[in-house]
Amino acid sequence: MGNRWIIAGLVGLLVAATASPTAQVDVNEKHLSEILSYMNESADACDDFFNYACGNWSEQHLSLYYTEIMGEVDLKVNKNLVKLMDKLAVSLQNSNHDDSNSVEDKVWRYYQTCRGASLDTRNLKHYLDFVQPGEQVPWPQLAVNSKQWPKNKFNWLETLGRLQRYSLNNVLMRSTVVPSYKNSRKYVIDLDRPVFKEKNQRLRGNFSTKNILLQLGVPKGSALNLARKVYQLELLVRDLTEGEDLPNDNLALHELERTIQAPWRKYFEIVLGHSVPRDFKVQISNVDYFEALVELLSRQEPNVVASYIMVRFIIFLREESMGIDEPIECIQDVRRNLDLAINLLYEEHFYESNRQKNNEEVTALFEILRAQFLTGMDGNVFNLNATQRELLRNKTRSMDINIGNMPKGVNHRKFVTNFYRELSLSESDYEENHLKVLQFRAARLIEKLDQQQPSHTKFALNDDGDYAMSSSPFYLQQLNLIVVPFGLLQEPVFNADMHDIFKISLLGFMIAHEIIHGFDSTGLGYDAKALDCINRNETDNLDERIADISGIRLAFDAYFAPGSKYSQAHPTFTTLPLKKIFFLNLAQFFCGSLDTSFMSHDPDDVRIKQLLINFPPFAETYGCRQGQDIMHPAEKCRLWR
Ligand SMILES: [Zn+2]
């Protein structure tokens, strides 16, 4: 971090010494000099472009908080917000009217209970004070007399319903609110078997399970034995999920109750918070899994099933919090749980001065990329028939971009205040507040069942805290919408005064990548041979690799293809050719420490290599020798012709 400011300072001096430079020259020179300072010029671009472009990045970013550019941007957002919290503390204390319903007050309460909650309330067991497995059913280890735990009153499905109200999901089954496959304008509840792919989706083993049980008050003498049974249960459930994935079915509640013997009506009444008619429609996939599950659970000791659900609930809660009472971590917790409130405050305090200019620039960038994508479709680059092309054209035209994840066409402050109207938070209890925001989040998702979201207010209702606390852009299939968080629109990613080559190669690439995600499932006419080719260097994340490889072509063509609206004139601030600037700035997205691990993405050095070795203009730009240099293999994978 230190070096970076020294360099920025030097550039400032140089610029000041030359003849009256414009602001634009300043921002470009500064940005370029940073990029150049990350390069390792002893590396060969044709041999290892990651090392060439990013080799010195890590030693210039010695931060505990981040290891790559998105983390760097997030830290800036977090630091801004910490300062804002300090200001809020003063203004709320000095205020002499009732602020208890203001967005500021809610954000502040959550932040300050995270910062200051006494340590005796900050423990995992305290969560259980607020949530029981059933009416008059305590958690087994908390029963006054463990021999008298009312096991006959315990029902796993009822307990799942109760915990689902706190956003727990994917335990024994997955339950999501999705557009109905019969009528995509209506939402339904979809039930499916659970997945165990990510670390937080499963138990780690006997000993970590035992540790959690101990923290939750299970006596030392029985904890290991119980942990073994609990872990064994999960392994049995995992076995049941191994079979082939079967398509979904649409059942009325009474049909569901007949097919799978469990108290479904009670479950839905708990989840929805009101009574449900017997013809209430549910979407269910893998019915055979549910049949086997009911059979399996009927053979288990009820206290083992209850303990399993409890441990998974606690793991979920632990994952849903940074678990540290420091300012940056507490701000992350606020962002993850009160994302719309934070978006509003961020917009008002840190984005407002650039709002109009940035929004215009980013929207224009999106439009240019979209137009380029449609051009590719006109040339039938994607090998589609006429009907498919028309379908994809319509989808492309109706795709939308949302900057800051705020609904369009409404007053943001009014909207957000109203959105959080029914959320009231404690002044002193962190766990209580944590459960309240999770309950609030679950309720908003359930509300979708009764709504048809009008398209002009399209924004993301996050069911995933990791998205909510990140400044990375993302694509929402359900709304055909790309969300670009406010926090992304700052240096080193973006500045409205930057030269277009910088805008298209970094933010433009990110948006192009998200546009391609819009066509993941439809496949865009990729043939099996092409997919086989790009998977030769095997990846679990084929959709991501497709989005990278197609995304760079989209961004590159938008700038350099014939008919481009962008100036091909050589920029005044450097002697580097435009195409080299393009690739170096693109690399900024991938620069970082190689220790970073990403959910559902390959490591950055693999990503950029796979992306560039299959993209001929790269080798042309750097004069790489075909078949001899690593970055220029003779055989290239072509997704499209
Ligand atoms: Zn992606």
Side-chain angles (χ1 to χ4, degrees), residues 513-514 517 543-544 547-548 600-601 607:
H513 173 111
E514 300 306 329
H517 274 318
D543 274 343
E544 290 305 328
D548 278 348
S600 61
H601 288 87
R607 267 181 91 179

Side-chain angles (χ1 to χ4, degrees), residues 463-475:
D463 57 356
D464 183 335
D466 289 338
Y467 276 114
M469 63 186 262
S470 154
S471 301
S472 300
F474 57 94
Y475 173 76

